[in-house]
Amino acid sequence: MSSSFGETPVADSVESAAQRVATHIQNTIDSADVYNKLTQNGSTPVSGLGDKFYTKGTPEFVLKRRISIPEELSHQIKNMRSQFSMGLFPEITRAWVVIDSDIFMWNYETNDDLAYFDAVQNTVLKVALVRVKSDVFASHITHGLVVGTVTDLSLYPVIMDSDPSSSISGMAIDASHYFKITLDNSTINDIVSTNNGRVFFTADDKLYEFIYEIAITTKGVRIYFSVVARNVAYLSGHGQYLSQLTSKSLSQQDVRPQCLRVAHVRFSPEVAPTSIYRDAHRGVSIAYADQSICVMATTNRHIVWALSDIFHPNTKVYCESMNDLHVTGNVWAIAPVSDKIIRTLPPEPGMLPRLLPHSFFRQSIEQRRRLIICSNEGVHEFQHLTPRDALQDALFEGGVEGRATVQLWQQLGPTEVLVLALSILTSEAAIDERIKDKVHQFYSSYN
């Protein structure tokens, strides 16, 4: 547990205080990578089997609203013939539904702006929203829609049009300018993209890159073309490709050998190794995981587990809070969203991005944390309560000596709680103004 600023003797110098702050900053940097906590500094390959890894207390995810599927879309779903899927594009605040060869999207924030795209001729198997290269479409187009069907793969520009009077963005898909390749009887499995516009997809257990370019002739004529996808292969020890290339051979500079190793196994709550494959109701059908949270829909798809580490910044082992979320309908997609106050710069070419600090220390730059879950009954929006939110509620309800306030002090540590209190004291938000007197008492009591 961190030591309190209040424990510092009055005679401590400014240099000593600066050193204390530097120590906390260094601890924040050192704790960014969860590997040491997960593996106990590399000593254990397994975690999650035991009560010390999970806690269950005050709900951390609270259902704020459920947005029904637009009525006209519900009618289309009833007329489905063979293919149905749905998901989320949080980058443009859109939920999407695929019905056979038709694609529907609507704004899940405002529950309007239903868009209908019927330019695809064959049954749609996969869709993905990707960032596009800056020199391919018009400068204001930043995203594209990749559509994979039973026969081909296409990339369409996505046009976002904002209304200055309402700040609401409309959306359109340009079917007149697109790139297309055939899949040569392969079945597409998945589609992903990079931040600089490269698009990759898998088909029949092989990895391909979808290359799309524009050529400009000396007369100023622009020629849009897409290249037959190349199979991204790796060299064997004898210099031979492990799988056949569908385009020109790649040099060794084009090939990046990689080794994928299992570094750690984290078991889910209430799951033992002997029961993973026997208890079907404990299986997972849809999941999302990042550095801070893990959300899993069980096989019946309406019970959702949400695991978060935001309330456990200083534990010696990697600990998570467990929440049971109830969602109507079958879950199809899960996505966390937040408003980022500070935009980080991309890494230098060839360099990896820095690890983000523990989610507890990102509260001031990531606000309105929400969890969006899409089911065939609609879109469910859960508010992700942070330790700062919990401290606000604890001080408002019980004051400085209240049970909830004391529990936060014990769980998070004095330094972290005092820093959260300071953020409330310096805030101009109305919700913080109502408890500033109690925050002053807070500092007086623990100083």
Side-chain angles (χ1 to χ4, degrees), residues 86-144:
M86 64 188 308
L88 296 164
F89 293 148
E91 301 92 335
I92 58 173
T93 65
R94 293 302 189 275
W96 58 265
V97 167
V98 167
I99 302 175
D100 300 320
S101 61
D102 298 329
I103 303 172
F104 301 84
M105 294 189 203
W106 75 98
N107 189 326
Y108 60 76
E109 295 281 12
T110 57
N111 202 27
D112 60 7
D113 192 30
L114 179 64
Y116 171 53
F117 185 66
D118 61 352
V120 181
Q121 301 300 317
N122 299 299
T123 300
V124 176
L125 301 180
K126 287 286 182 179
V127 295
L129 185 73
V130 302
R131 282 199 168 273
V132 295
K133 298 175 183 177
S134 58
D135 57 350
V136 174
F137 300 111
S139 59
H140 65 280
I141 295 177
T142 58
H143 289 85

Side-chain angles (χ1 to χ4, degrees), residues 107 129 184 212 235 290 445-446:
N107 189 326
L129 185 73
D184 296 329
Y212 57 101
L235 289 172
D290 61 21
S445 300
Y446 291 102

Side-chain angles (χ1 to χ4, degrees), residues 33 194-195 256 258 344-356:
D33 190 345
T194 64
N195 288 332
R256 293 193 302 172
Q258 296 182 5
T344 57
L345 295 175
E348 294 292 329
M351 302 296 291
L352 294 175
R354 290 184 177 182
L355 281 176
L356 294 174

Side-chain angles (χ1 to χ4, degrees), residues 276-295:
I276 289 178
Y277 301 105
R278 291 190 299 178
D279 294 339
H281 68 283
R282 289 183 177 177
V284 173
S285 58
I286 302 292
Y288 171 88
D290 61 21
Q291 185 181 342
S292 305
I293 69 171
C294 177
V295 186

